[in-house]
């Protein structure tokens, strides 16, 4: 069974923990060996010096003809053979060996007759001291490794949490949440589109706690400003960059520098996208009035082929302008839902009848969903129109519970669209159009809280799948 790691932990935390553990074990082993060798050498030297002193005293007593004390003797039993050979050869030496089940320090030297005089000094206390030292080294090393690992893990997890937060914000920015920031305490996961729209609707309502007396108005400011066109989408102003607070110093560490760079990049990207959205909204709005006049003038032209061409191009230009305005409103995120309970079967049949196309409707399982009927019809209408315009028949619209599928039998969606979704003003393979229909369908689906996916069937053809939320 695999251990379940926290979400903020990853290979960096695991590698850091392993590195700290290995280094602590290596350092503890090195220090333990050094201490063990040093203390053992010192203990053995002291025992050897004591044994040699006892041997010198025993030699004096032996040469004087006195009785040897206990622990001393000539060729005593238990004397190691290598030490006896050394003494018989005329040298003195010492050795730690077992005698009757206990450790002793032997010291031996030569005497007449090719024999060896040896003494045995108890070495049990010194051996117990070394064993106790070894156990103390092991316990202290284990405690030191554990404490260091805890402190190191705490420090590493602080870094990995910050890196995880930075990566999470980067993914949110990639998903389109340009308000996400690492160093902004107000940053939190954004709600679902339906909830977000509900919260925005509440934000536009009047707050009863607002003071009745407004702030004094600037005398230089005109009292009656020019009215604003309600159809013009409002694009929010460029937000301040939270990565550069006033009077802030240089980031404290590398992780803070990465977070500040990400926040700065997100703010710059958001400013550029908002400027682009504002430009698109302004252009579409300014074109709307002259196009209305142009359409009226085209209706006054005399019948004929040139008139039909002019009216067709004017209608296409008006449709393009309306699509740009709708995309601009979707970009602002200020769309409001008008929820109602609708059955999908009759709804998709109305969409097919309104399109005037030969789309076949297959209802596998009909359900009632709470949705915005106008926006859902807009999504399905754009999908059906795209299937007939860029694909080949037969086009089949299937309802299976809250999942609606639109499939054609053409060449399928381009690879970039399947991988990254529709992109405005991008078409490939000589296809006609501006790429706005699927962009609007995707935006309206997000407002509905639905999920719209694009894929290609294994046997050919494009497949658009719309999954509606079900309470």
């Amino acid at each position: 069974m695999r251990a379940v790691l926290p979400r903020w932990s990853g290979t960096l935390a695991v590698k850091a923990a392993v590195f700290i553990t290995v280094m602590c074990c290596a350092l503890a082993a090195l220090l333990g060996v050094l201490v063990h060798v040093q203390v053992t050498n010192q203990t053995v030297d002291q025992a050897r010096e004591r044994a040699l002193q006892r041997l010198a005293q025993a030699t004096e007593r032996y040469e004087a003809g006195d009785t040897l004390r206990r622990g001393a003797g000539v060729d005593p039993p238990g004397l190691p053979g290598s030490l006896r050979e050394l003494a018989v050869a005329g040298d003195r030496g010492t050795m730690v060996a077992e005698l009757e089940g206990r450790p002793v320090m032997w010291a031996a030297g030569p005497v007449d007759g090719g024999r060896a005089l040896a003494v045995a000094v108890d070495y049990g206390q010194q051996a117990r001291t070394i064993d106790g030292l070894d156990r103390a080294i092991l316990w202290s090393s284990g405690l030191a490794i554990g404490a260091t690992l805890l402190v190191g893990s705490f420090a590493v997890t602080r870094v990995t949490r910050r890196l995880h937060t930075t990566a999470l914000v980067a993914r949110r920015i990639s998903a389109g949440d340009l308000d996400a920031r690492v160093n902004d305490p107000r940053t939190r996961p954004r709600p679902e589109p339906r909830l977000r729209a509900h919260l925005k609707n509440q934000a536009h309502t009047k707050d009863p706690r607002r003071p009745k007396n407004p702030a004094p108005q600037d005398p230089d400011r005109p009292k009656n400003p020019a009215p604003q066109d309600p159809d013009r989408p409002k694009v929010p102003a460029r937000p301040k960059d939270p990565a550069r607070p006033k009077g802030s110093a240089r980031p404290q560490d590398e992780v803070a520098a990465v977070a500040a760079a990400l926040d700065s990049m997100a703010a710059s990207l958001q400013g550029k996208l908002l400027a682009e959205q504002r430009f698109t909204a302004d252009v579409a709005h300014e074109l709307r009035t002259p196009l209305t006049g142009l359409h009226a003038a085209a209706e006054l032209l005399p019948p004929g082929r040139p008139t039909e061409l002019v009216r067709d191009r004017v209608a296409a230009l008006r449709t393009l302008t309306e699509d740009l305005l709708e995309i601009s409103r979707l970009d602002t995120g200020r769309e409001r839902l008008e929820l109602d309970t609708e059955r999908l079967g009759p709804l998709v049949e109305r969409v097919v009848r309104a399109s005037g196309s030969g789309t076949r409707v297959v209802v596998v399982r009909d359900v009632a969903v709470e949705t915005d009927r106008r926006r859902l019809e807009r999504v399905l209408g754009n999908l059906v129109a795209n299937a007939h315009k860029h694909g080949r028949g037969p086009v089949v619209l299937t309802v299976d519970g809250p999942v609606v599928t639109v499939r054609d039998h053409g060449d399928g969606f381009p690879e970039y669209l399947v991988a990254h979704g529709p992109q405005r003003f991008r078409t490939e393979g000589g296809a006609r159009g501006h790429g706005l229909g699927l962009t609007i369908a995707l935006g309206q689906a997000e407002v509905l809280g639905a999920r719209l996916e694009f894929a290609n069937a294994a046997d050919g053809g494009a497949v658009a799948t719309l999954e509606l939320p079900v309470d």
Side-chain angles (χ1 to χ4, degrees), residues 146-454:
T148 306
L149 184 60
L150 289 177
V151 175
S153 300
F154 175 75
V156 171
T157 50
R158 286 177 58 88
V159 176
T160 54
R161 283 194 184 100
R162 296 166 64 187
L163 291 176
H164 174 74
T165 302
T166 303
L168 180 62
V169 171
R171 286 193 293 268
R172 290 174 56 187
I173 293 174
S174 301
D177 185 4
L178 298 181
D179 293 328
R181 296 292 184 273
V182 178
N183 294 325
D184 189 356
R186 299 170 299 177
T187 300
R188 58 177 60 91
R190 302 187 68 179
E192 294 296 328
R194 180 185 299 180
L195 179 58
R196 185 165 64 245
H198 176 68
L199 294 177
K200 289 181 178 179
N201 292 341
Q202 290 184 347
H204 287 293
T205 59
K206 185 176 180 181
D207 188 355
R209 295 174 296 178
R210 180 176 294 178
K212 297 182 179 180
N213 297 327
Q217 188 176 6
D218 188 355
D220 296 333
R221 186 176 181 179
K223 295 183 179 180
N224 298 321
Q228 188 175 4
D229 190 345
D231 294 333
R232 181 192 292 266
K234 298 179 181 180
V235 179
R238 178 177 178 176
K240 296 182 180 180
D241 185 1
R244 296 181 179 178
K246 185 176 180 181
S248 63
R250 182 175 298 178
Q252 297 180 354
D253 52 26
E254 290 78 2
V255 178
V258 172
L262 179 63
D263 287 349
S264 178
M265 179 199 68
S268 176
L269 178 62
Q270 185 177 25
K272 293 179 181 179
L273 290 179
L274 291 178
E276 178 184 349
Q277 294 173 6
R278 190 179 299 110
F279 173 76
T280 303
D282 292 341
V283 169
H285 182 269
E286 295 301 329
L287 286 176
R288 190 177 189 181
T289 301
L291 280 177
T292 302
L294 185 60
H295 176 74
E299 295 295 330
L300 299 177
L301 294 176
R305 180 61 180 170
T307 300
E308 293 178 359
L309 294 177
V310 171
R311 290 176 179 175
D312 180 70
R313 292 298 89 198
V314 170
L317 191 55
R318 288 190 66 185
T319 301
L320 175 61
T321 304
E322 294 298 330
D323 288 346
L324 289 176
L325 284 173
E326 184 173 358
I327 289 177
S328 299
R329 288 191 295 267
L330 291 173
D331 287 339
T332 60
R334 298 176 181 270
E335 295 293 278
R336 300 183 181 183
L337 290 174
E338 297 179 1
L339 299 177
D340 196 4
T341 301
E342 299 284 344
R343 299 201 67 85
L344 288 181
L347 187 144
V348 298
E349 292 178 355
R350 289 198 304 268
V351 171
V352 171
R353 286 196 300 268
S355 66
S357 59
T359 303
R360 184 163 62 96
V361 177
V362 178
V363 179
V364 178
R365 181 168 58 93
D366 192 11
V367 295
V369 295
E370 186 177 3
T371 185
D372 189 323
R373 180 180 59 83
R374 181 183 65 85
R375 297 184 188 277
L376 181 55
E377 290 178 349
R378 176 67 162 159
V379 174
L380 296 178
N382 282 13
L383 294 178
V384 171
N386 182 82
H388 284 281
K389 184 176 182 180
H390 300 286
R392 290 190 298 271
V395 176
V396 182
L397 194 154
T398 305
V399 177
D400 187 1
V403 179
V404 182
T405 303
V406 179
R407 179 186 176 181
D408 60 52
H409 291 76
D411 297 331
F413 291 119
E415 294 183 0
Y416 80 89
L417 192 148
V418 175
H420 306 290
Q423 301 178 17
R424 61 194 71 176
F425 299 108
R426 179 175 179 179
T427 56
E428 290 185 0
R432 297 177 300 170
H434 304 90
L436 300 182
L438 295 182
T439 303
I440 293 175
L442 182 61
Q444 294 288 8
E446 291 179 353
V447 174
L448 293 173
R451 183 173 61 181
L452 180 58
E453 297 179 348
F454 303 94

